[in-house]
């Protein structure tokens, strides 16, 4: 049902409305007097920096948390006793950032998880398969496929479908494009448009302006727990205006001054790197050069980065720093650090932080031998190191003794970055360094990397974020089928060019 | 305030029980009984410390109490059957215990065996091996030198607890002040991230298991020396208490959390419960049940603390 027809029938044009919604956590007011309306059958964007109150608002709307004040209306009726059950019954579903998928069950079983058609406690398998097959028609997902084998887009689609099948009318998507490539994202957006045409309403949370501008009809921006602004007509907004709403000030987006290195002597020469998934005969890095690795998942960008750091097994491969003989690539991360190679993983929760340890302990974790004498830690040396990188990274916390678990995503990423920089690497490899962190912190991170490169460190950034690649690197290596298909230098690097390159492959 | 109380619940619970037992029977407060508790706590303490190390790296070693019994029997047999001097024989026993710990570590890291099951099978093997070695008999022909430390007293105070105190200090220094200790916490807290951060995860785990084996070996020597005997199921009765002690003291079964002071608290608490129930003459039929209930309460309070106060 469209907004127009709803008005004609006298129904409330807003399927979901909140009035003066507030949420207090102890002494802090996480959400203040937020009022907004979501129109039936639209995609409504929700923007804001980390900690702006997006998750709190979504948590209240989906019933996971109880509001401290204010009212939620569905179809014009106020909801009393807001909890998950009540909201799901009313048709509001939250699809979280991490897809809720059980890998060893089939797509069909995942789709019906918890809503199995059953009689007297026995699952009606025939009906389950039939229902699932009908739901999955036209999505390109095989109902019998093991969920663990599905790609990222298929997994998201599965979650969205499950919400719909459970009776979802308003589906909240919390950063659904995290970990998706450009091509996947386009596919997901098409899927959302299809469902929208069927009358589903979406609330779409994203960090990226271009996504909001591309897919949303309306949007609301949160800042410091309050509504900072919004529009019923996204088309009337520019990306710059959106950024300004998010940050509340004129944000200067970082842009590296690209340098040309063709003439200079190389700092690092990688040779004959081969594994089951990659084959790279030669790759040269110059001192102070930032190289972007991009490509579809599985094309080899991430795989090569991990292989150089000793995180995935290889058949052959050597590295030679300028003025040094070639050596085999490191077999373990420890060997890599000892050679002067540092790596920052894209998954900081799983692969970056030790959440229970303090910021300082995390920062020193990769350089413990540098702050120890014959196996015993020197507290002064360790604290000095921690304090230095705590300051240099601009981590927002009381001090290095704060437990890392309590930090926001962006600050956790700064801690991880501080840890790898503390090893004083000669080659720094960053895998999706700004994924899932807000636009303000993203500029900080890109600036830190830029400054580091000026001291002569060579940097590899693996990224599927074209905007980041365009702003941060001197050269782009486009990966395909395990090797570098194309190199783009200097001013030739642009969003259009990168999109086209990715599109070539997707279309092929 | 409530948070502080819950964070120190082991010690508060310990003091409360001491007072309660003392009120029931003032013999509990005597120097003799205090000495008795210290001696009793020594063996449990050694094995509790040992169990804590694999727990800290998010693994578990169930074979430690069996290792304790088996290795002490090896030591005793090295003296009686091979004719080694008792010191050397004792060291052979400790070395065997250490090697078993090392072997467990290898199985868990290099062969990727699940520690719960691997060490369970090792426990059964070692218990069986002890029975086979002793043929069901109790070894009692231990030399005077061997049993000295278990019996010696200086100025009326037993010497044996000194070993436990030294071990406590050594492990505390290891965990707090060394690269290895920091690595142990990191590996237990997040093994994947630790690997990416350049910590040699497998090596750290193997070392943790090896040190645990060593501590169990020393504990085995102390138990045999104190009891002046090695039974055919020596050490087995310690299994559940040895695992309960560090967990009551705040060592997380998920790894990465806990410290030596907590282990000491857990060990003392369990010892006080055992000794206290005996002293206030609770009929032996009820001792197990009441002791279990007290441990249950301690663990429940700790779960409550973790849930509401982190």
């Amino acid at each position: 049902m469209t907004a127009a027809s709803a008005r004609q029938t006298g129904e409330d044009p807003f399927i979901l409305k909140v009035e003066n919604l507030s949420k207090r956590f102890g002494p802090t007011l996480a959400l203040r007097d937020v009022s907004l309306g979501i129109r039936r059958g639209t995609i409504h964007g929700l923007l804001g920096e980390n900690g702006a109150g997006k998750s709190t608002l979504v948590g209240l709307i989906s019933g996971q948390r109880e509001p401290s004040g204010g009212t939620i209306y569905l179809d014009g009726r106020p909801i009393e006793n807001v909890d998950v059950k009540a909201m799901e019954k009313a048709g509001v579903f939250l699809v979280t950032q991490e897809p809720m998928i059980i890998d060893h069950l089939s797509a069909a079983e995942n789709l019906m998880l918890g809503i199995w058609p059953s009689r007297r406690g026995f699952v009606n398998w025939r009906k389950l398969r039939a229902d699932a097959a009908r739901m999955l028609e036209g999505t390109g997902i095989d109902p019998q496929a093991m969920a663990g084998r599905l790609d990222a887009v298929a997994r998201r689609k599965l979650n969205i479908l499950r919400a719909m099948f459970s009776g979802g009318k308003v589906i909240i998507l919390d950063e659904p494009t995290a970990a998706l490539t450009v091509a996947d994202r386009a596919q997901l957006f098409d899927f959302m448009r299809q469902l929208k045409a069927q009358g589903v309403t979406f609330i779409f949370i994203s960090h990226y302006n271009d996504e909001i501008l591309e897919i949303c009809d309306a949007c609301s921006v949160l800042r410091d727990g309050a509504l900072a602004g919004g529009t019923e007509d996204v088309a009337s907004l520019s990306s710059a205006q959106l950024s300004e709403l998010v940050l509340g000030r004129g944000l200067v987006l970082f842009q590296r001054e690209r340098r040309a290195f063709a003439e200079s002597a190389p700092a690092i020469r990688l040779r004959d790197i081969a594994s089951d998934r990659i084959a790279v005969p030669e790759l040269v890095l110059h001192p102070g050069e930032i190289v972007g690795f991009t490509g579809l998942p599985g094309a080899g960008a991430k795989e090569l980065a991990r292989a150089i750091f000793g995180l995935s097994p290889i058949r052959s491969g050597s590295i030679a720093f300028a003025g040094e003989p070639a050596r085999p690539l490191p077999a373990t991360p420890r060997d890599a650090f000892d050679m002067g190679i540092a790596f920052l993983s894209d998954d900081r929760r799983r692969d970056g932080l030790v959440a229970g340890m303090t910021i300082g302990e995390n920062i020193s974790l990769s350089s413990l031998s540098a702050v120890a004498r014959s196996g015993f830690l020197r507290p002064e040396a360790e604290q000095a190191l921690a304090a230095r990188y705590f300051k240099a990274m601009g981590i927002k916390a009381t001090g290095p003794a704060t437990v890392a678990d309590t930090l926001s995503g962006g600050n956790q990423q700064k801690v991880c970055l501080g840890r790898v920089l503390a090893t004083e690497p000669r080659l720094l490899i960053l895998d999706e360094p700004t994924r899932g962190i807000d636009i303000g912190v993203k500029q900080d991170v890109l600036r830190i990397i830029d400054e580091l490169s000026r001291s002569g460190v060579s940097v590899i950034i693996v990224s599927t974020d074209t905007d980041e690649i365009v702003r941060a690197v001197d050269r782009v290596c486009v990966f395909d089928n395990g090797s570098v298909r194309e190199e783009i230098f200097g001013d030739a690097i642009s969003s259009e060019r990168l999109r086209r390159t990715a599109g070539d492959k997707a279309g092929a | 305030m409530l948070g502080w109380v819950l964070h120190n619940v082991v010690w508060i619970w310990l003091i409360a029980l001491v007072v309660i037992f003392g009120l029931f029977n003032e013999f509990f407060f005597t120097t003799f009984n205090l000495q008795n508790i210290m001696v009793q706590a020594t063996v449990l303490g050694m094995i509790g410390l040992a169990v804590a190390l694999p727990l800290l790296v998010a693994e578990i070693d169930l074979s430690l109490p069996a290792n304790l019994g088996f290795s002490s029997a090896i030591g005793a047999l090295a003296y009686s059957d091979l004719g080694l001097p008792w010191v050397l024989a004792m060291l052979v026993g400790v070395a065997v215990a250490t090697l078993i710990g090392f072997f467990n570590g290898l199985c868990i890291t290099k062969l990727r065996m699940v520690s719960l099951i691997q060490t369970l099978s090792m426990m059964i093997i070692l218990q069986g091996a002890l029975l086979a070695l002793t043929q069901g008999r109790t070894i009692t022909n231990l030399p005077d030198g061997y049993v000295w430390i278990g019996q010696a007293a200086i100025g009326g105070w037993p010497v044996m607890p000194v070993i436990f105190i030294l071990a406590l200090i050594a492990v505390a220094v290891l965990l707090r002040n060394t690269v290895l200790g920091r690595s142990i916490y990191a590996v237990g807290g997040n093994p994947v991230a630790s690997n990416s951060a350049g910590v040699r995860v497998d090596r750290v785990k193997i070392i943790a298991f090896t040190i645990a084996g060593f501590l169990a070996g020393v504990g085995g020597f102390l138990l045999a020396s104190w009891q002046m005997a090695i039974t055919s199921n020596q050490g087995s009765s310690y299994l559940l208490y040895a695992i309960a002690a560090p967990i009551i003291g705040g060592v997380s079964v998920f790894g990465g959390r806990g410290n030596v002071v907590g282990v000491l608290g857990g060990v003392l608490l369990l010892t006080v419960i055992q000794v206290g129930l005996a002293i206030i003459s609770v009929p032996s039929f009820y001792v197990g049940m009441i002791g279990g209930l007290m441990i249950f309460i301690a663990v429940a309070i700790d779960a409550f603390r973790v849930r509401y106060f982190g």
Side-chain angles (χ1 to χ4, degrees):
Chain A
M1 189 182 298
T2 65
S5 68
R7 226 167 292 148
Q8 279 159 10
T9 56
E11 260 186 77
D12 198 320
F14 296 106
I15 186 162
L16 183 93
K17 213 161 57 178
V18 302
E19 261 175 22
N20 305 104
L21 209 57
S22 297
K23 179 65 188 176
R24 185 177 282 285
F25 291 109
T28 53
L29 204 52
L31 204 66
R32 267 178 299 156
D33 279 337
V34 171
S35 301
L36 54 88
I38 313 285
R39 281 184 190 277
R40 202 176 298 279
T42 61
I43 299 178
H44 192 108
L46 193 57
L47 257 91
E49 286 199 81
N50 284 334
K54 293 180 312 243
S55 338
T56 310
L57 176 60
V58 162
L60 295 180
I61 293 176
S62 61
Q64 299 191 323
R65 296 179 191 284
E66 213 178 315
S68 309
T71 321
I72 300 172
Y73 297 88
L74 252 167
D75 289 321
R77 284 189 307 277
I79 304 277
E80 288 159 33
N81 297 331
V82 179
D83 64 23
V84 175
K85 267 224 165 92
M87 296 314 289
E88 292 197 343
K89 194 156 164 258
V92 181
F93 282 84
L94 172 66
V95 176
T96 51
Q97 223 172 78
E98 284 309 310
M100 298 294 182
I101 296 274
I102 301 179
D103 282 348
H104 58 268
L105 294 183
S106 72
E109 284 168 291
N110 267 292
L111 195 55
M112 299 292 177
L113 208 63
I115 46 170
W116 304 281
S118 63
R119 198 181 304 131
R120 289 194 210 98
F122 289 93
V123 174
N124 183 345
W125 285 100
R126 192 178 301 165
K127 182 161 161 44
L128 187 151
R129 288 205 193 91
D131 286 352
R134 205 174 59 240
M135 288 295 291
L136 291 172
E137 221 173 67
T139 58
I141 303 172
D142 172 11
Q144 300 311 319
M146 216 49 118
R149 301 220 174 135
L150 295 175
D151 62 16
V153 212
R155 293 157 75 88
R156 308 256 161 195
K157 285 181 178 176
L158 215 50
N159 271 276
I160 297 172
L161 281 171
R162 188 162 86 212
M164 267 185 75
F165 196 74
S166 313
K169 287 184 278 184
V170 180
I171 296 177
I172 306 167
L173 302 176
D174 190 359
E175 293 188 31
T177 58
L180 293 193
T181 61
V182 180
D184 286 350
R185 194 167 72 179
Q187 209 190 348
L188 179 73
F189 284 179
D190 279 343
F191 181 66
M192 284 171 64
R193 286 192 193 99
Q194 260 175 44
L195 296 185
K196 181 176 112 173
Q198 294 171 27
V200 177
T201 309
F202 286 102
I203 299 176
F204 176 80
I205 301 180
S206 171
H207 276 299
Y208 303 114
N209 291 350
D210 59 335
E211 292 184 356
I212 297 284
L213 295 174
E214 184 179 343
I215 185 96
C216 293
D217 304 297
C219 80
S220 301
V221 180
L222 289 175
R223 195 195 318 145
D224 298 330
L227 195 66
T231 175
E232 287 280 304
D233 181 17
V234 160
S236 69
L237 273 181
S238 73
S239 180
Q241 284 170 312
L242 217 49
S243 295
E244 207 170 309
L245 271 181
V246 170
L247 291 157
R249 57 186 146 84
L251 173 78
V252 184
L253 289 176
F254 173 79
Q255 175 64 58
R256 176 174 167 88
E257 281 175 41
R258 291 200 196 96
R259 296 159 62 192
F261 292 91
E263 305 300 317
S264 62
I268 295 156
R269 195 180 286 275
L270 297 158
R271 266 182 203 275
D272 296 325
I273 303 178
S275 78
D276 295 343
R277 299 162 79 181
I278 45 177
V280 178
E282 181 164 50
L283 191 73
V284 169
L285 296 157
H286 299 93
E289 187 182 25
I290 303 185
V291 180
F293 281 11
T294 194
L296 296 171
K302 186 186 288 286
E303 289 77 4
L304 178 60
R306 292 180 77 87
I308 298 172
F309 185 63
L311 269 175
S312 52
I314 45 167
R315 279 196 300 274
S316 69
S318 70
I319 182 168
F321 289 93
E324 294 175 25
R327 284 182 279 183
L329 282 175
T332 66
R334 181 70 262 158
D335 297 342
F337 277 119
D338 293 344
M339 280 186 198
I341 305 169
F343 174 81
L344 183 63
S345 164
D346 59 334
D347 190 345
R348 61 181 166 271
R349 295 295 312 173
R350 196 181 74 89
D351 204 1
L353 271 188
V354 182
M357 292 181 44
T358 66
I359 295 172
E361 287 168 338
N362 270 291
I363 288 176
S364 62
L365 188 57
S366 295
S367 358
L368 285 178
S369 54
V371 294
R373 192 177 296 131
S374 47
F376 284 84
L377 294 167
R378 292 180 295 141
E380 343 66 72
E382 189 186 8
Q383 276 154 24
L385 184 82
R388 187 169 140 215
Y389 284 93
F390 181 84
K391 194 156 161 273
M393 297 300 113
I395 296 162
K396 290 205 180 67
T398 324
T402 309
V403 176
D405 209 10
T406 59
L407 299 176
S408 70
N411 275 306
Q412 290 186 348
Q413 187 69 340
K414 285 182 173 179
V415 174
C416 294
L417 190 59
R419 168 172 63 71
V420 296
L421 295 192
T423 65
E424 296 179 355
R426 294 188 281 179
L427 169 60
L428 175 63
I429 306 168
L430 305 155
D431 191 358
E432 304 283 358
T434 65
R435 172 186 293 167
I437 66 180
D438 58 58
I439 191 163
V441 179
K442 178 173 171 176
Q443 311 311 314
D444 292 349
V445 169
L446 295 182
R447 242 172 238 125
I448 291 167
I449 298 167
D450 183 68
E451 271 162 35
L452 186 75
S453 77
R454 283 169 211 279
S455 67
V457 177
S458 305
V459 182
I460 294 171
I461 298 181
V462 180
S463 181
T464 48
D465 176 354
T466 47
D467 178 64
E468 172 173 288
I469 293 269
V470 170
R471 293 184 181 283
V473 308
D474 302 308
R475 168 164 55 120
V476 183
C477 295
V478 182
F479 280 77
D480 182 20
N481 204 12
S483 52
V484 180
R485 182 183 59 180
E486 189 182 354
E487 283 190 289
I488 311 171
F489 296 88
D491 292 336
I493 303 171
S494 70
S495 297
E496 294 71 42
R497 176 77 186 271
L498 288 170
R499 285 224 170 93
R500 207 167 57 234
T501 313
D504 285 350
K505 177 64 186 169
Chain B
M1 177 60 194
L2 183 60
W4 180 86
V5 168
L6 290 174
H7 270 286
N8 295 286
V9 68
V10 173
W11 296 99
I12 293 167
W13 193 216
L14 181 64
I15 292 165
L17 283 179
V18 166
V19 171
I20 292 167
F21 286 133
L23 290 177
F24 271 101
N25 186 340
E26 56 193 37
F27 171 74
F28 196 84
F29 287 132
T30 57
T31 312
F32 178 78
N33 188 48
L34 180 64
Q35 292 170 348
N36 179 31
I37 288 175
M38 283 169 60
V39 170
Q40 296 254 4
T42 295
V43 175
L44 181 60
M46 293 302 291
I47 190 119
L49 268 182
V51 168
L53 286 168
L55 285 179
L56 283 174
V57 294
E59 301 284 356
I60 195 165
D61 189 344
L62 297 176
S63 70
L64 287 166
N67 188 352
L68 173 151
F70 174 76
S71 63
S72 66
I74 291 285
L77 292 177
Y79 162 79
S80 63
D81 292 18
L82 298 180
L84 291 179
W86 75 265
V87 177
L88 221 54
M90 180 271 286
L91 289 176
V92 166
V94 174
V96 165
T98 312
L99 268 177
I100 292 170
F102 176 72
F103 178 76
N104 285 341
L106 278 185
C107 291
I108 281 143
T109 54
K110 302 303 177 195
L111 299 180
R112 303 262 165 254
M113 293 169 82
V114 176
S115 61
L116 184 74
I117 301 302
Q118 188 273 329
T119 60
L120 183 69
S121 64
M122 181 57 75
M123 176 186 98
I124 297 169
I125 293 170
L126 293 176
Q127 281 174 347
L130 177 60
L131 194 62
L133 273 181
T134 57
Q135 295 290 303
R137 285 186 294 271
T138 299
I139 301 174
T140 51
N141 58 341
L142 297 166
D144 293 346
Y146 189 95
V147 298
W148 178 81
I149 191 117
Q151 316 303 322
I154 295 174
W157 288 82
V159 172
M160 198 167 79
V162 174
I163 308 282
F164 174 42
I165 292 166
L166 289 178
L168 270 178
I169 294 171
V171 176
V173 169
L174 169 81
L175 290 178
R176 282 176 64 103
N177 301 337
T178 68
V179 172
L180 176 62
R182 180 66 59 75
S183 306
I184 285 174
Y185 282 114
V187 166
N190 187 342
V192 180
S194 297
N195 178 51
S196 302
V199 176
R200 295 188 197 275
V201 173
D202 283 0
R203 187 182 293 184
V204 169
K205 284 187 178 179
I206 292 171
I207 293 174
F209 273 88
T210 309
I211 297 174
F214 171 78
L215 290 171
V218 176
F221 162 58
L222 292 178
L223 179 62
S225 172
W226 174 45
Q227 291 188 337
M228 296 196 283
I230 298 166
T231 63
S232 60
N233 63 352
Q234 182 98 329
S236 297
S237 60
Y238 279 96
L239 176 63
L240 295 177
Y241 288 102
I243 293 167
I247 294 174
I248 289 171
V251 177
S252 165
V253 285
F254 303 111
R257 272 178 194 223
N259 58 50
V260 163
V261 176
V263 176
L264 175 65
V267 166
L268 289 179
L269 182 66
L270 291 182
T271 311
V272 163
I273 290 173
Q274 278 181 325
V275 172
L277 289 177
I279 283 180
I280 65 173
S281 328
V282 170
S284 59
F285 303 119
Y286 302 104
V287 167
M289 187 181 74
I290 296 175
L293 204 63
M294 287 176 170
I295 298 172
F296 179 86
I297 294 170
V299 175
I301 294 174
D302 191 56
F304 182 77
R305 171 184 71 82
V306 171
R307 178 162 177 166
Y308 292 101
F309 297 92

